[in-house]
Amino acid sequence: MKFTLATIIAAASAVSAVPVAETNPLALTMMSIRSASPIHFGSVTASGQKFYIGLERPSSYCPTPPVSPKDCPSGNYTSIGWSTYGPYMNVMVPGGQQLYIAPDHSLSYTQAHSASMPAGSITEGFILGPKQENTLRSISHTSGGFLACPAKANEGPWKVFVGTVADADAPSGSAADCLGFSNNGVEFTSERFGAWQY
Ligand SMILES: *[C@@H]1O[C@H](CO)[C@@H](O)[C@H](O)[C@H]1NC(C)=O
């Protein structure tokens, strides 16, 4: 095949016709906002299939070998992707890791290589708001607002729940210790993936 300027221009315009969302899916980190509180401007961080505010870094893992270390994401950030079906963990591991709300209302994600989640888990109902002037996008859920529940009264890390929390499920033993917060998506562009797996 002979490449002429016309075929190159045709190929280039075919590429640019592909929706941006498919070649470069929206990736976000999550930031908590609750003014005058310990969780103001907190990072929502994945650890052990749950999410916390106040952790230094997520639990993340990249298997080397077989993966070459240079192909591993840093794993320093907790990133989610967002498709028309809702949020998912922004990971490389085959099969991915799904985001859901467990029956105790804790925000959760599936283990790598497993789609298993407890009966009664909720995978739908997450809503991503439009990009605001301050670049944030509100993340909400039809079952109610986000809550952060401390390990001990006023002492983090703060475990993330959605909707309501029972005393028995609050890490401190009292749901009265939890703080409501607004959850905000911050575009994550420094790396393609947040981790190989969380
Ligand atoms: C990830 O964290 C490690 C340890 O703190 C640091 O050395 C490295 O530069 C970080 N990488 C990125 C891409 O943030």
Side-chain angles (χ1 to χ4, degrees):
M1 182 178 171
K2 192 178 149 205
F3 282 93
T4 63
L5 186 58
T7 56
I8 290 166
I9 288 168
S13 58
V15 167
S16 67
V18 173
V20 170
E22 286 187 15
T23 52
N24 187 16
L26 180 61
L28 304 166
T29 57
M30 295 183 282
M31 181 176 74
S32 56
I33 292 187
R34 167 78 189 237
S35 59
S37 86
I39 58 165
H40 199 35
F41 298 135
S43 293
V44 177
T45 300
S47 186
Q49 277 78 66
K50 303 294 176 187
F51 290 85
Y52 299 85
I53 300 164
L55 293 183
E56 195 105 323
R57 52 179 295 124
S59 61
S60 58
Y61 171 72
C62 189
T64 52
V67 181
S68 161
K70 70 172 170 38
D71 295 331
C72 289
S74 77
N76 291 0
Y77 305 98
T78 299
S79 173
I80 59 169
W82 207 289
S83 74
T84 49
Y85 303 104
Y88 56 91
M89 302 307 285
N90 184 21
V91 290
M92 293 179 83
V93 65
Q97 291 179 279
Q98 212 178 337
L99 203 71
Y100 66 97
I101 301 171
D104 71 353
H105 299 283
S106 57
L107 185 63
S108 308
Y109 58 95
T110 54
Q111 230 168 325
H113 311 293
S114 167
S116 145
M117 51 184 93
S121 295
I122 299 167
T123 56
E124 297 179 345
F126 290 96
I127 301 163
L128 183 66
K131 187 172 179 172
Q132 300 159 28
E133 219 170 316
N134 62 6
T135 74
L136 303 179
R137 295 167 206 252
S138 90
I139 296 172
S140 57
H141 192 266
T142 51
S143 71
F146 282 83
L147 295 156
C149 301
K152 290 186 211 163
N154 246 331
E155 205 177 295
W158 302 68
K159 190 172 178 180
V160 175
F161 293 81
V162 182
T164 56
V165 188
D167 286 333
D169 298 321
S172 71
S174 171
D177 293 332
C178 304
L179 292 178
F181 69 92
S182 89
N183 195 8
N184 298 271
V186 181
E187 269 180 52
F188 178 69
T189 54
S190 58
E191 297 175 66
R192 170 65 185 85
F193 296 97
W196 174 271
Q197 71 185 62
Y198 292 109

